[in-house]
Amino acid sequence: MISIIIASFFSAVCAALGLGGGTVLMLYFALLTEIPQQQAQGINLLLFLPVAALSLWFHTKNKLVAWKQIIWVILCGLPGVFLGCWLSEWLDVEWLRKAFGGFLLLMGIHEFLAKSADKNSKKDEQGKSPSPSKKPNIN
């Protein structure tokens, strides 16, 4: 029981930092416990709610939330949720697991390459000579 509390706390910290805390918790459940997948997903979702609320409060306080864009995200995301729920009833669970694993792998590769490209562009910017400053005209 204590290990689940520690894993949940670590997962919440990762989630609050935007590091995929839910994935961390699901890996813990899958690799180190015998909790069934559906129960693990339920626990993960239950943990997500207070962590998301707290993260939203902090990000709003720091003016990091684009409130005008949220409505569009919700309007576009809801049909995806319903489509995903409907598809999950028809698709084989093993296929869904593999598809989700593939998705996580592709997202990891994408993030890795995006950060590498970002580092390279910053190096390029630092390597350039600074633009000549305008000297005041003293007449």
Side-chain angles (χ1 to χ4, degrees):
M1 180 64 159
I2 193 79
S3 63
I4 291 176
I5 293 170
I6 292 170
S8 298
F9 177 77
F10 180 68
S11 173
V13 169
C14 289
L17 294 172
L19 301 174
T23 304
V24 170
L25 190 61
M26 290 303 294
L27 285 172
Y28 168 77
F29 285 140
L31 299 175
L32 301 174
T33 70
E34 293 184 16
I35 295 175
Q37 183 180 355
Q38 288 183 332
Q39 188 177 0
Q41 288 172 331
I43 294 168
N44 189 24
L45 289 173
L46 198 60
L47 178 69
F48 174 77
L49 294 174
V51 171
L54 189 60
S55 297
L56 181 62
W57 182 76
F58 277 111
H59 291 317
T60 300
K61 183 179 171 186
N62 292 322
K63 296 181 173 53
L64 298 172
V65 179
W67 286 104
K68 292 179 182 178
Q69 295 173 347
I70 288 177
I71 190 70
W72 293 109
V73 171
I74 292 170
L75 290 175
C76 295
L78 282 176
V81 168
F82 291 115
L83 179 64
C85 289
W86 179 75
L87 282 175
S88 72
E89 292 292 321
W90 298 99
L91 296 174
D92 181 38
V93 173
E94 193 60 35
W95 188 89
L96 286 173
R97 286 183 183 147
K98 289 178 181 177
F100 184 65
F103 171 75
L104 288 178
L105 180 65
L106 289 175
M107 289 305 298
I109 292 169
H110 176 268
E111 288 296 312
F112 178 75
L113 294 177
K115 288 184 183 194
S116 295
D118 189 40
K119 285 181 183 177
N120 288 338
S121 68
K122 285 183 181 178
K123 285 181 184 177
D124 289 344
E125 288 175 7
Q126 290 173 351
K128 292 180 183 176
S129 60
S131 59
S133 61
K134 292 185 178 180
K135 295 181 181 177
N137 190 2
I138 304 175
N139 288 333

